[in-house]
Amino acid sequence: MRIPAHSVCTAIRDDIVSGVFERGSRLTEEQLARRYGVSRVPVREALRTLESEGFVVTRRHAGAHVAEPTDQEAADLLEIRLLLEPLGAARAAQRRTEAHLKVLRGLVRLGQERARRGQGEDLRSLGAWFHETLAQACGSPGLTALLTQLRHKTAWMYTVDQPAAPVESWAEHGAIVDAVARGDVERARSLTALHAERAAAAHRLRRPERVRTSQHAVNIASVRN
């Protein structure tokens, strides 16, 4: 597989999130350069970036390895996301463009249509696209980057159950977009907080073989306290 050098970081991150590289496994520059068809230079830069994001750790005398997050680290991550997503929606209500609204409304229409038809796999990708666009609409590159990183890391650490009532879930998306379109900061914030908390309850910790944690499930309610 040959990819552009500037995309090496994304490719390695995607392979970590999807489980191609297991937690705790060693990552060598030679191995990665051969896999992606690039030189070691972009691989080295990518590993530094991924270490700063928490996906990779460098061990003395052992080199780079995929990180092994604990249950507490995963719970903390989910709590941070619960705090930041409402802030992002509030900022979007102040700073969104018509282009953002057009995409968000189109995604809501598609999501509602797919929900009525019970097309779950489509809903997963549409939901990711919706939240990515909402994050971009906040008008803050720093906050957008944080929200994007949080989505990647929660996808790595958790599996997410499909909503029990997908039509209602997409109605919530629609209400958030309506608040953002009206510039109603507090309503956008409160609706997103409620939606994010409901979504958090569907998160289940992944249990890779090498995770250094206990075997109990995260209690989302305790994360909030």
Side-chain angles (χ1 to χ4, degrees), residues 106-116 123 126 166-167 170:
L107 288 169
V108 168
R109 284 194 298 271
L110 283 173
Q112 291 174 336
E113 176 187 330
R114 300 296 193 275
R116 286 192 296 269
L123 291 179
L126 286 171
V167 173
W170 277 93

Side-chain angles (χ1 to χ4, degrees), residues 5-134:
H6 69 270
S7 300
V8 173
C9 184
T10 298
I12 298 174
R13 185 192 299 109
D14 287 348
D15 280 345
I16 290 174
V17 169
S18 66
V20 172
F21 299 127
E22 295 182 357
R23 301 183 195 187
S25 61
R26 189 180 180 197
L27 300 171
T28 69
E29 292 179 9
E30 180 182 3
Q31 161 206 17
L32 297 173
R34 184 168 58 249
R35 174 175 175 80
Y36 303 116
V38 296
S39 71
R40 291 190 179 190
V41 174
V43 168
R44 192 174 304 125
E45 294 173 354
L47 290 176
R48 283 197 291 265
T49 297
L50 293 169
E51 184 169 19
S52 72
E53 294 178 355
F55 288 98
V56 170
V57 294
T58 300
R59 300 172 181 169
R60 190 175 183 183
H61 306 309
H65 289 71
V66 178
E68 298 178 85
T70 65
D71 285 4
Q72 187 58 60
E73 289 168 337
D76 289 346
L77 187 81
L78 198 56
E79 183 173 20
I80 293 168
R81 184 171 174 178
L82 288 170
L83 293 171
L84 289 186
E85 285 194 338
L87 174 61
R91 291 289 181 268
Q94 296 172 312
R95 303 172 182 174
R96 87 294 183 281
T97 66
E98 288 302 316
H100 290 131
L101 288 178
K102 182 177 181 180
V103 174
L104 288 168
R105 284 170 171 153
L107 288 169
V108 168
R109 284 194 298 271
L110 283 173
Q112 291 174 336
E113 176 187 330
R114 300 296 193 275
R116 286 192 296 269
R117 295 180 180 178
Q119 295 173 305
E121 286 307 310
D122 285 351
L123 291 179
R124 194 179 298 277
S125 59
L126 286 171
W129 191 1
F130 175 89
H131 287 288
E132 179 179 345
T133 305
L134 187 61

Side-chain angles (χ1 to χ4, degrees), residues 180-196:
V180 168
R182 290 196 305 270
D184 191 334
V185 172
E186 290 310 315
R187 183 163 176 76
R189 187 196 304 273
S190 63
L191 288 174
T192 303
L194 181 60
H195 177 74

Side-chain angles (χ1 to χ4, degrees), residues 194-213:
L194 181 60
H195 177 74
E197 189 160 357
R198 287 174 177 166
H203 284 61
R204 302 285 179 267
L205 278 172
R206 293 184 186 274
R207 290 300 179 190
E209 183 178 344
R210 303 187 66 173
V211 173
R212 302 177 287 103
T213 56

